[in-house]
Amino acid sequence: MTDNPAADQKQRFLFPDSDIRGELVRLERSLAEVLGAHDYPMVVQGLVGEAVAAVALLTGTLKFEGRLSLQAQGRGPVSLLLAECTHDGQLRALARHDERAADCPATVTDLIGDGTMVITITPARGRQYQGIVPLEGDTLARCLEGYFQQSEQLPTRLWLAAGNGRAAGMLLQRLPDRAAGNEHNAEHWRHLETLADTLTMEELLDLDTETVLRRLFHETPPRLPTPQGLRFGCTCSRERTRDALLSLGAAELRQLLEEDGEATLTCDFCLSREHFDAVDLAELVREAETR
């Protein structure tokens, strides 16, 4: 693992005189913290890495404070894939899998199987939005492109890669025509899409951001705003765990107090534990009875 801060950042890039934007993400230390709490087979590590890169890219489409999550569920060896990113670059993810995953081909079709993908956008203020699409595509990138085609109706391409303790991703998106005419944007979009398709997964993983963009778009260099740092960050807390226990209701909490006399809850993302002794549980019972 390197100490290079550029290894964990998101770089937006904008093409002058067009309504086409892009994001490029590189992850290393943050991914190590996401994966370090779990003993995933290599193929599941790769899937989680791609999912973390994907939500980091997609959060770049938010224009408000909040978080974006990707959840995929199916009947394959990986029954659940969940990744989240906040507007300020905090990442977390998890996967639930069985013993079949270790020997499974590294495709979404084989790992997750028939299922659905849900993109949830949760603003800090305002109503939550969800888009649900079937998992159609061998790669997570193709599944997400299908989501944009069905839910957002914006031409969007994604390239995702993970391996050797790193993950990376690139997004190109054509916005509604404003700065230039429709014909100009359509032609420019096809040109940029063709150039981006020459990018290999090895280049995406191994080359720094500036080199990738220079190799692909040297004829029309994009403008690069200040990059955003990315880091592992779990939103679990004792207060949230307490609320989860309260949601059980007075009767179930009383039974837990009488039978066990304590409770310890573990966060699925970071594996941190919160312990509640008999005094804590008794207080929760009293609070639940007054609700």
Side-chain angles (χ1 to χ4, degrees):
M1 185 186 302
T2 70
D3 292 321
N4 179 9
D8 288 87
Q9 70 174 22
K10 175 170 57 178
Q11 175 67 68
R12 174 170 290 193
F13 53 97
L14 307 168
F15 293 94
D17 302 319
S18 78
D19 293 299
I20 299 170
R21 60 176 289 273
E23 303 271 354
L24 208 156
V25 162
R26 299 182 58 78
L27 304 169
E28 187 169 343
R29 183 173 297 277
S30 53
L31 179 63
E33 294 187 68
V34 167
L35 298 177
H38 305 274
D39 185 22
Y40 294 134
M42 290 298 295
V43 67
V44 178
Q45 289 185 31
L47 184 62
V48 172
E50 289 190 6
V52 174
V55 292
L57 290 170
L58 299 184
T59 306
T61 65
L62 299 182
K63 296 178 175 60
F64 48 79
E65 293 186 0
R67 70 178 186 274
L68 182 146
S69 67
L70 179 160
Q71 179 174 320
Q73 290 181 282
R75 298 183 178 182
V78 177
S79 58
L80 172 68
L81 174 67
L82 178 59
E84 294 182 349
C85 184
T86 63
H87 70 279
D88 59 351
Q90 294 188 66
L91 300 158
R92 66 177 189 169
L94 64 84
R96 291 181 181 150
H97 64 91
D98 61 32
E99 66 281 355
R100 296 173 295 163
D103 300 316
C104 191
T107 68
V108 169
T109 305
D110 290 303
L111 284 169
I112 302 178
D114 292 334
T116 57
M117 180 173 64
V118 182
I119 303 295
T120 304
I121 298 172
T122 308
R125 298 177 182 84
R127 298 179 60 183
Q128 185 182 81
Y129 165 80
Q130 275 193 340
I132 305 174
V133 295
L135 281 172
E136 295 178 342
D138 285 344
T139 67
L140 189 59
R142 298 294 83 79
C143 293
L144 286 165
E145 289 173 357
Y147 161 78
F148 275 99
Q149 183 177 357
Q150 294 184 42
S151 300
E152 303 293 328
Q153 297 182 342
L154 291 174
T156 304
R157 291 292 312 277
L158 289 101
W159 296 262
L160 301 171
N164 298 323
R166 300 191 300 274
M170 187 172 73
L171 174 148
L172 278 181
Q173 188 171 71
R174 181 182 170 187
L175 303 174
D177 301 321
R178 292 176 185 171
N182 181 68
E183 184 177 344
H184 170 81
N185 272 333
E187 181 180 348
H188 199 195
W189 169 258
R190 289 190 294 269
H191 178 62
L192 295 177
E193 187 180 17
T194 300
L195 292 175
D197 271 331
T198 67
L199 180 68
T200 68
M201 296 302 97
E202 291 76 13
E203 289 173 331
L204 183 58
L205 274 178
D206 297 339
L207 299 180
D208 61 83
T209 298
E210 291 76 12
T211 302
V212 169
L213 295 178
R214 186 171 61 251
R215 284 194 178 187
L216 292 177
F217 310 121
H218 60 90
E219 294 178 353
T220 54
R223 181 169 61 86
L224 306 181
T226 303
Q228 179 187 29
L230 299 169
R231 64 197 184 281
F232 172 75
C234 193
T235 58
C236 67
S237 66
R238 185 169 181 83
E239 187 63 27
R240 285 174 177 254
T241 307
R242 187 176 184 277
D243 289 343
L245 284 171
L246 270 174
S247 68
L248 297 176
E252 193 164 343
L253 284 169
R254 192 180 300 108
Q255 182 179 356
L256 184 63
L257 175 61
E258 293 171 354
E259 294 181 358
D260 299 327
E262 62 180 2
T264 300
L265 277 70
T266 302
C267 174
D268 288 335
F269 290 93
C270 66
L271 302 188
S272 65
R273 296 185 175 186
E274 292 291 348
H275 179 72
F276 295 80
D277 60 20
V279 175
D280 297 324
L281 291 179
E283 175 61 32
L284 287 171
V285 169
R286 287 193 291 272
E287 185 174 341
E289 288 174 338
T290 61
R291 289 191 167 190

